[in-house]
Amino acid sequence: VLMLGSSSIRMWPSVESFPGLKVVNRGFGGAHISDLIHFKEDILLKYKAPQCILFYCGDNDVAGGKTFECVMADFQDFREILRAHAPATALIYIPIKPCPKRWHLWDKASSVNSAVQQQAQTDPLLIYADTAAPMLKTGSPPAADLFISDMLHLSAKGYAMWSQVARPLMDQAIRQYIESKLVLYEELTPTAFRTRLAQAPIAYVPLGTLEWHGEHLPLGSDGLQAKHFFEILAREVGGIVLPMLHLGPDREKTVDGKTLYGMDLGSLH
């Protein structure tokens, strides 16, 4: 799991909050979404495709006077970078938080959140983690004990609230990522099967003769090589790899009164 964003990400006690998950926290204070784009090589592209990204940014953008259009444009640019780098990785969006210090900006922040939430309804790789709703249940603005003394950054209680919302969505995104990498027919759930079939209606059938290839290779080498090639192809362009079919022996010969099939007969002499 890769955590990206501003100080609200940086200060999140990620190891304690998400036990059992390998988490890399690359949040940094004062970040705007445009800063994440600027430093993309260091905070995103240097990491092999993560199973999911936990994202909090936009708070400083709104506080800095950026327009709704500017914030959304930067968010879309960031998502394009992510899609090119890790096309199967879901982004979990933590909405810009309501807080006492910036309560006068809540309407503007809420507009950004609503726009992202609407996008998430039609995009399975964008997950809206509604951490704002439970915060607002404590008051408008939210209760002071959710924040440290600056009334901007979260307290331990505030982070516990966020983590409770985020964790099941992270688990969901990780399962979704793992399923997206499964291409073998026998490993797919019915839902994953239908999803892959809808994305690319292609079926690959690995074929191979069972025969000897010397003492150093498996008897099913032909089929195994075909299966491996098709797995790579299916992950690149889509489709499903069907169970391997072994062909009959390609030759026969009588040796010492015995008929041998499907072997490298030369190795017997």
Side-chain angles (χ1 to χ4, degrees), residues 51-186:
Q51 293 182 331
C52 74
I53 288 178
L54 193 61
F55 178 97
Y56 181 86
C57 206
D59 198 337
N60 295 318
D61 305 59
V62 172
K66 289 184 177 177
T67 64
F68 167 85
E69 291 76 15
C70 180
V71 177
M72 293 306 300
D74 285 346
F75 181 67
Q76 295 309 319
D77 288 346
F78 179 83
R79 292 206 62 219
E80 287 299 324
I81 294 168
L82 173 60
R83 187 176 292 111
H85 173 62
T89 297
L91 184 146
I92 301 175
Y93 176 88
I94 304 292
I96 300 172
K97 63 182 178 293
C99 65
K101 185 171 183 177
R102 294 178 176 173
W103 184 245
H104 62 290
L105 296 172
W106 175 238
D107 286 346
K108 186 175 179 181
S110 184
S111 296
V112 173
N113 293 341
S114 295
V116 176
Q117 186 176 26
Q118 187 172 5
Q119 291 180 14
Q121 292 174 359
T122 57
D123 187 342
L125 292 178
L126 177 59
I127 300 173
Y128 187 86
D130 195 357
T131 51
M135 295 181 77
L136 289 170
K137 285 182 179 179
T138 68
S140 301
D145 64 354
L146 296 177
F147 304 90
I148 60 176
S149 58
D150 64 6
M151 291 293 113
L152 172 62
H153 297 98
L154 294 180
S155 64
K157 183 176 181 180
Y159 277 119
M161 181 179 285
W162 276 20
S163 299
Q164 188 175 14
V165 173
R167 179 59 192 258
L169 298 177
M170 294 163 72
D171 291 339
Q172 170 193 325
I174 290 170
R175 286 194 301 270
Q176 180 177 307
Y177 178 88
I178 292 172
E179 283 197 347
S180 75
K181 296 300 180 182
L182 296 178
V183 296
L184 299 179
Y185 177 89
E186 58 269 29

Side-chain angles (χ1 to χ4, degrees), residues 1 13-23 163 167 170-171 174:
V1 177
S14 47
V15 174
E16 298 84 358
S17 298
F18 307 118
L21 296 182
K22 183 179 179 180
V23 179
S163 299
R167 179 59 192 258
M170 294 163 72
D171 291 339
I174 290 170

